[in-house]
Amino acid sequence: CSLCVAGDYIHCEEMGDISAFLGTREGTATYAQYLVKPDWLLCPIPDDVSYDMGSLACCGLGPSLGAFDLMNVSAFDTVLITGAGAVGLGAVVNATYRGARVIVVESIPYRTEYARMLGADAVIDPSDPAALQEIRDLTDGRGVDAALDCSGVVAAQRMCVDATRRKGRVAFVGECHESMPLTISPDMIRKGLTLYGS
């Protein structure tokens, strides 16, 4: 389809039914040991890159790379990352590589330590009632320039919208099938936010 030709495979409208082709659903889950994909989707990796390291390009580093490209994140930005699982920690790597100042929202202690080790400037506990105010305090009351939700949690997605400055950018990479409350006038028109699904 035109989306695949453009390299936007994740948005393909004509994805084949692998379970119908193979007679099983095995290999269709994203966290399986081995995945089944059409061969034309497979990109060669350089000989000096191991499969373990190359696999990080898919889910560990890929989602935030694409989102930060869409949001034009640079060294001039302060970035909020909600959720410091594998994808969120990859986002910390990508944001610090770009030179951005990084604020992470995460409550699990070992994840908060990894976020700091990978370069996060601040880590905030989302269960703290003052979490949003802490983000504002870290940005002189303005809010972050760009926010990326990696958690797929409605409260974290809402925090991204609330913590982002006027004319800021917000991207969502964490899968969520619940509704997030979004009020057009105060959230979009008055703030002038740009939202990305990535």
Side-chain angles (χ1 to χ4, degrees), residues 178-197:
E178 297 175 39
S179 296
M180 180 190 74
L182 188 70
T183 308
I184 298 303
S185 288
D187 293 335
M188 299 298 300
I189 296 172
R190 299 292 173 209
K191 282 186 84 171
L193 292 180
T194 301
L195 303 182
Y196 295 96

PDB file of all heavy atoms in Angstrom, residues 178-197:
ATOM      1  N   GLU A 178      -8.221   2.869  25.992  1.00  0.00           N
ATOM      2  CA  GLU A 178      -9.185   3.616  26.796  1.00  0.00           C
ATOM      3  C   GLU A 178      -9.236   5.052  26.280  1.00  0.00           C
ATOM      4  O   GLU A 178      -8.310   5.520  25.627  1.00  0.00           O
ATOM      5  CB  GLU A 178      -8.764   3.612  28.261  1.00  0.00           C
ATOM      6  CG  GLU A 178      -8.745   2.231  28.887  1.00  0.00           C
ATOM      7  CD  GLU A 178      -8.202   2.258  30.297  1.00  0.00           C
ATOM      8  OE1 GLU A 178      -8.521   3.219  31.027  1.00  0.00           O
ATOM      9  OE2 GLU A 178      -7.467   1.334  30.648  1.00  0.00           O
ATOM     10  N   SER A 179     -10.305   5.755  26.605  1.00  0.00           N
ATOM     11  CA  SER A 179     -10.460   7.139  26.172  1.00  0.00           C
ATOM     12  C   SER A 179      -9.732   8.087  27.110  1.00  0.00           C
ATOM     13  O   SER A 179      -9.818   7.945  28.328  1.00  0.00           O
ATOM     14  CB  SER A 179     -11.934   7.529  26.131  1.00  0.00           C
ATOM     15  OG  SER A 179     -12.601   6.747  25.171  1.00  0.00           O
ATOM     16  N   MET A 180      -9.031   9.046  26.531  1.00  0.00           N
ATOM     17  CA  MET A 180      -8.409  10.097  27.317  1.00  0.00           C
ATOM     18  C   MET A 180      -9.260  11.352  27.169  1.00  0.00           C
ATOM     19  O   MET A 180      -9.567  11.748  26.047  1.00  0.00           O
ATOM     20  CB  MET A 180      -6.998  10.397  26.821  1.00  0.00           C
ATOM     21  CG  MET A 180      -6.340  11.506  27.636  1.00  0.00           C
ATOM     22  SD  MET A 180      -4.802  12.104  26.952  1.00  0.00           S
ATOM     23  CE  MET A 180      -5.358  13.064  25.561  1.00  0.00           C
ATOM     24  N   PRO A 181      -9.633  11.988  28.268  1.00  0.00           N
ATOM     25  CA  PRO A 181     -10.415  13.216  28.144  1.00  0.00           C
ATOM     26  C   PRO A 181      -9.577  14.332  27.513  1.00  0.00           C
ATOM     27  O   PRO A 181      -8.470  14.604  27.963  1.00  0.00           O
ATOM     28  CB  PRO A 181     -10.805  13.553  29.579  1.00  0.00           C
ATOM     29  CG  PRO A 181      -9.818  12.818  30.432  1.00  0.00           C
ATOM     30  CD  PRO A 181      -9.359  11.636  29.646  1.00  0.00           C
ATOM     31  N   LEU A 182     -10.085  14.906  26.465  1.00  0.00           N
ATOM     32  CA  LEU A 182      -9.408  16.006  25.783  1.00  0.00           C
ATOM     33  C   LEU A 182     -10.474  17.045  25.465  1.00  0.00           C
ATOM     34  O   LEU A 182     -11.450  16.746  24.778  1.00  0.00           O
ATOM     35  CB  LEU A 182      -8.743  15.504  24.500  1.00  0.00           C
ATOM     36  CG  LEU A 182      -7.834  16.462  23.765  1.00  0.00           C
ATOM     37  CD1 LEU A 182      -6.557  16.701  24.572  1.00  0.00           C
ATOM     38  CD2 LEU A 182      -7.463  15.902  22.403  1.00  0.00           C
ATOM     39  N   THR A 183     -10.306  18.245  25.990  1.00  0.00           N
ATOM     40  CA  THR A 183     -11.271  19.313  25.748  1.00  0.00           C
ATOM     41  C   THR A 183     -10.653  20.264  24.732  1.00  0.00           C
ATOM     42  O   THR A 183      -9.593  20.849  24.989  1.00  0.00           O
ATOM     43  CB  THR A 183     -11.620  20.044  27.056  1.00  0.00           C
ATOM     44  OG1 THR A 183     -12.013  19.058  28.011  1.00  0.00           O
ATOM     45  CG2 THR A 183     -12.761  21.014  26.845  1.00  0.00           C
ATOM     46  N   ILE A 184     -11.277  20.405  23.598  1.00  0.00           N
ATOM     47  CA  ILE A 184     -10.672  21.090  22.457  1.00  0.00           C
ATOM     48  C   ILE A 184     -10.242  22.521  22.766  1.00  0.00           C
ATOM     49  O   ILE A 184      -9.103  22.892  22.488  1.00  0.00           O
ATOM     50  CB  ILE A 184     -11.619  21.052  21.243  1.00  0.00           C
ATOM     51  CG1 ILE A 184     -11.866  19.603  20.810  1.00  0.00           C
ATOM     52  CG2 ILE A 184     -11.062  21.874  20.091  1.00  0.00           C
ATOM     53  CD1 ILE A 184     -10.615  18.807  20.478  1.00  0.00           C
ATOM     54  N   SER A 185     -11.091  23.345  23.335  1.00  0.00           N
ATOM     55  CA  SER A 185     -10.698  24.750  23.546  1.00  0.00           C
ATOM     56  C   SER A 185      -9.491  24.910  24.464  1.00  0.00           C
ATOM     57  O   SER A 185      -8.465  25.443  24.043  1.00  0.00           O
ATOM     58  CB  SER A 185     -11.878  25.575  24.049  1.00  0.00           C
ATOM     59  OG  SER A 185     -12.801  25.755  23.002  1.00  0.00           O
ATOM     60  N   PRO A 186      -9.552  24.436  25.728  1.00  0.00           N
ATOM     61  CA  PRO A 186      -8.388  24.673  26.590  1.00  0.00           C
ATOM     62  C   PRO A 186      -7.164  23.832  26.219  1.00  0.00           C
ATOM     63  O   PRO A 186      -6.029  24.293  26.365  1.00  0.00           O
ATOM     64  CB  PRO A 186      -8.888  24.319  27.994  1.00  0.00           C
ATOM     65  CG  PRO A 186     -10.052  23.427  27.783  1.00  0.00           C
ATOM     66  CD  PRO A 186     -10.656  23.822  26.466  1.00  0.00           C
ATOM     67  N   ASP A 187      -7.381  22.617  25.741  1.00  0.00           N
ATOM     68  CA  ASP A 187      -6.250  21.725  25.455  1.00  0.00           C
ATOM     69  C   ASP A 187      -5.618  21.969  24.091  1.00  0.00           C
ATOM     70  O   ASP A 187      -4.399  21.847  23.950  1.00  0.00           O
ATOM     71  CB  ASP A 187      -6.693  20.260  25.520  1.00  0.00           C
ATOM     72  CG  ASP A 187      -7.078  19.835  26.925  1.00  0.00           C
ATOM     73  OD1 ASP A 187      -6.591  20.453  27.891  1.00  0.00           O
ATOM     74  OD2 ASP A 187      -7.873  18.883  27.057  1.00  0.00           O
ATOM     75  N   MET A 188      -6.419  22.302  23.124  1.00  0.00           N
ATOM     76  CA  MET A 188      -5.893  22.401  21.760  1.00  0.00           C
ATOM     77  C   MET A 188      -5.862  23.837  21.241  1.00  0.00           C
ATOM     78  O   MET A 188      -4.824  24.336  20.848  1.00  0.00           O
ATOM     79  CB  MET A 188      -6.721  21.520  20.812  1.00  0.00           C
ATOM     80  CG  MET A 188      -6.705  20.054  21.171  1.00  0.00           C
ATOM     81  SD  MET A 188      -5.056  19.323  21.097  1.00  0.00           S
ATOM     82  CE  MET A 188      -4.655  19.595  19.392  1.00  0.00           C
ATOM     83  N   ILE A 189      -6.990  24.488  21.231  1.00  0.00           N
ATOM     84  CA  ILE A 189      -7.044  25.829  20.638  1.00  0.00           C
ATOM     85  C   ILE A 189      -6.248  26.831  21.459  1.00  0.00           C
ATOM     86  O   ILE A 189      -5.394  27.541  20.930  1.00  0.00           O
ATOM     87  CB  ILE A 189      -8.508  26.290  20.469  1.00  0.00           C
ATOM     88  CG1 ILE A 189      -9.232  25.382  19.468  1.00  0.00           C
ATOM     89  CG2 ILE A 189      -8.563  27.743  20.015  1.00  0.00           C
ATOM     90  CD1 ILE A 189     -10.719  25.609  19.355  1.00  0.00           C
ATOM     91  N   ARG A 190      -6.509  26.906  22.761  1.00  0.00           N
ATOM     92  CA  ARG A 190      -5.817  27.897  23.596  1.00  0.00           C
ATOM     93  C   ARG A 190      -4.353  27.586  23.773  1.00  0.00           C
ATOM     94  O   ARG A 190      -3.539  28.499  23.838  1.00  0.00           O
ATOM     95  CB  ARG A 190      -6.508  27.991  24.974  1.00  0.00           C
ATOM     96  CG  ARG A 190      -7.933  28.426  24.895  1.00  0.00           C
ATOM     97  CD  ARG A 190      -8.062  29.867  24.431  1.00  0.00           C
ATOM     98  NE  ARG A 190      -9.467  30.202  24.213  1.00  0.00           N
ATOM     99  CZ  ARG A 190      -9.860  31.099  23.346  1.00  0.00           C
ATOM    100  NH1 ARG A 190      -9.000  31.755  22.616  1.00  0.00           N
ATOM    101  NH2 ARG A 190     -11.137  31.352  23.198  1.00  0.00           N
ATOM    102  N   LYS A 191      -4.002  26.310  23.878  1.00  0.00           N
ATOM    103  CA  LYS A 191      -2.594  25.944  24.046  1.00  0.00           C
ATOM    104  C   LYS A 191      -1.872  25.826  22.708  1.00  0.00           C
ATOM    105  O   LYS A 191      -0.652  25.939  22.662  1.00  0.00           O
ATOM    106  CB  LYS A 191      -2.461  24.620  24.818  1.00  0.00           C
ATOM    107  CG  LYS A 191      -2.662  24.773  26.310  1.00  0.00           C
ATOM    108  CD  LYS A 191      -2.372  23.496  27.054  1.00  0.00           C
ATOM    109  CE  LYS A 191      -0.898  23.352  27.336  1.00  0.00           C
ATOM    110  NZ  LYS A 191      -0.601  22.223  28.248  1.00  0.00           N
ATOM    111  N   GLY A 192      -2.592  25.547  21.654  1.00  0.00           N
ATOM    112  CA  GLY A 192      -1.962  25.410  20.340  1.00  0.00           C
ATOM    113  C   GLY A 192      -1.062  24.194  20.242  1.00  0.00           C
ATOM    114  O   GLY A 192      -0.057  24.211  19.540  1.00  0.00           O
ATOM    115  N   LEU A 193      -1.441  23.127  20.938  1.00  0.00           N
ATOM    116  CA  LEU A 193      -0.635  21.908  20.909  1.00  0.00           C
ATOM    117  C   LEU A 193      -0.690  21.214  19.559  1.00  0.00           C
ATOM    118  O   LEU A 193      -1.682  21.299  18.848  1.00  0.00           O
ATOM    119  CB  LEU A 193      -1.123  20.919  21.967  1.00  0.00           C
ATOM    120  CG  LEU A 193      -0.939  21.267  23.430  1.00  0.00           C
ATOM    121  CD1 LEU A 193      -1.478  20.160  24.308  1.00  0.00           C
ATOM    122  CD2 LEU A 193       0.524  21.545  23.743  1.00  0.00           C
ATOM    123  N   THR A 194       0.385  20.520  19.239  1.00  0.00           N
ATOM    124  CA  THR A 194       0.398  19.610  18.100  1.00  0.00           C
ATOM    125  C   THR A 194       0.504  18.203  18.668  1.00  0.00           C
ATOM    126  O   THR A 194       1.421  17.918  19.442  1.00  0.00           O
ATOM    127  CB  THR A 194       1.587  19.892  17.171  1.00  0.00           C
ATOM    128  OG1 THR A 194       1.502  21.241  16.711  1.00  0.00           O
ATOM    129  CG2 THR A 194       1.597  18.955  15.988  1.00  0.00           C
ATOM    130  N   LEU A 195      -0.452  17.339  18.325  1.00  0.00           N
ATOM    131  CA  LEU A 195      -0.466  15.953  18.807  1.00  0.00           C
ATOM    132  C   LEU A 195      -0.084  15.009  17.681  1.00  0.00           C
ATOM    133  O   LEU A 195      -0.507  15.183  16.546  1.00  0.00           O
ATOM    134  CB  LEU A 195      -1.851  15.570  19.321  1.00  0.00           C
ATOM    135  CG  LEU A 195      -2.467  16.414  20.431  1.00  0.00           C
ATOM    136  CD1 LEU A 195      -3.826  15.848  20.825  1.00  0.00           C
ATOM    137  CD2 LEU A 195      -1.553  16.477  21.634  1.00  0.00           C
ATOM    138  N   TYR A 196       0.743  14.006  18.030  1.00  0.00           N
ATOM    139  CA  TYR A 196       1.184  13.013  17.054  1.00  0.00           C
ATOM    140  C   TYR A 196       0.878  11.614  17.580  1.00  0.00           C
ATOM    141  O   TYR A 196       1.171  11.305  18.732  1.00  0.00           O
ATOM    142  CB  TYR A 196       2.685  13.086  16.842  1.00  0.00           C
ATOM    143  CG  TYR A 196       3.179  14.369  16.222  1.00  0.00           C
ATOM    144  CD1 TYR A 196       3.655  15.399  17.028  1.00  0.00           C
ATOM    145  CD2 TYR A 196       3.187  14.544  14.840  1.00  0.00           C
ATOM    146  CE1 TYR A 196       4.126  16.573  16.466  1.00  0.00           C
ATOM    147  CE2 TYR A 196       3.653  15.709  14.277  1.00  0.00           C
ATOM    148  CZ  TYR A 196       4.119  16.729  15.094  1.00  0.00           C
ATOM    149  OH  TYR A 196       4.576  17.888  14.544  1.00  0.00           O
ATOM    150  N   GLY A 197       0.325  10.777  16.735  1.00  0.00           N
ATOM    151  CA  GLY A 197       0.258   9.347  17.003  1.00  0.00           C
ATOM    152  C   GLY A 197       1.439   8.756  16.242  1.00  0.00           C
ATOM    153  O   GLY A 197       1.580   8.978  15.048  1.00  0.00           O
TER     154      GLY A 197
END
